[in-house]
Amino acid sequence: MNSFGHLLRVTTFGESHGPAIGCVIDGCPPGIAIAPEDFVQDLARRATGTSRHTSQRHEADAVEILSGVYEGLTTGTPIALLVRNTDARSKDYSRIGEQFRPGHADYTYWHKYGIRDPRGGGRSSARETTMRVAAAVIAKKWLADRYGVRVQGWLSQIGDIVPAGFDAGVIETNPFFWPHAPQVGELESYMDALRKSGDSVGARVTVVADGVPPGWGEPIYGKLDGELAAAMMSINAVKGVEIGAGFASVSQKGSEHRDEATRDGFASNHAGGILGGISSGQQVLVSVAFKPTSSLRLPGRGMDVHGEETEIVTTGRHDPCVGIRATPICEAMLALVLMDQALRHRAQCGDVGAVSPRIPAGRDPKR
Ligand code: EPS
């Protein structure tokens, strides 16, 4: 499947080294103001080549709106977006076509389809995420205009390094989306040493949505948290997803985990803003684990398509930590799932209206 969502349905297509990548967004309400410039900021936040700590492929990432927008407004018909690939260097992959990189989807794509496009990893490339970010520009805009919902993410761990403080105001001021400015120098040195060593490292991204009203999400099989987990897991390189306290819930007592409610708001947010699969009105909180990238200069043992053991060395312009660019991608998936759930809630329960009491969002978890 290359589509997700129910009432808002997004399909992406294209390979990393094909002529273009694109998406079709179906079910988008009419009347949303959208122009090609709206995509620039978020696509630049995700792009390669914006610092020395990411892949040095330089893509234009210019979005062409092919359909679904007339005189600057969405028309309710399918919105097709296209981004042409302009800086693919397929000769970097001439050997990989006959080899399976250890820890890479090369091997599983080969077994599934019996054929693969090895150039740039084809669709298993991080390049595919461009179109999710583009689609979510529309979702973010709709959520903000219609409901005042704001989505924001940051990098919450690289290797063993965690933020020593939190200031939302600095996230966009450094190439890591790191929320504690005094550590940026340490991260630069860490990444420089890692890149020189030829190795890679994993990372954690945290994303939140503020202003989500209570009621979004469907029991039982359309739970908001279930769909968020699936959406995050659909990002290439993701290995884990936590909602709220996540796996820390295992060692908590009920008296600690439950989010007590007062007239002034919830006293904590271990639930991550979701109870029974439905938003509670608290901040929706998701964190996502990215594996270390598997395209390494360091030689590793692997197999080739002829069944021979071989030494694998990956050349090319790879990310030593793909998580560094993943903040806008996780924001995108959160926004797209929320918009789909909002439309579904409106369709079924639009007549219910506001129900009392409404507990204020209250305290967010410690970061
Ligand atoms: C990627 C490898 C690199 C990255 C690419 C993801 O591509 P190439 O080997 O073709 O230079 O640049 O990321 C993007 C192009 C992008 O826009 O995110 C990989 O192996 O996943």
Side-chain angles (χ1 to χ4, degrees), residues 335-347:
L336 289 165
V337 169
L338 283 174
M339 181 167 172
D340 183 45
Q341 289 281 11
L343 291 170
R344 288 152 72 180
H345 180 64
R346 193 165 85 168

Side-chain angles (χ1 to χ4, degrees), residues 17 46 48 55 57 93 120 125-127 317-319 325:
H17 289 207
R46 191 216 67 90
T48 50
S55 160
R57 180 164 160 182
Y93 291 85
S125 168
R127 182 104 191 104
R317 304 164 291 180
H318 296 283
D319 289 271
R325 299 196 284 122

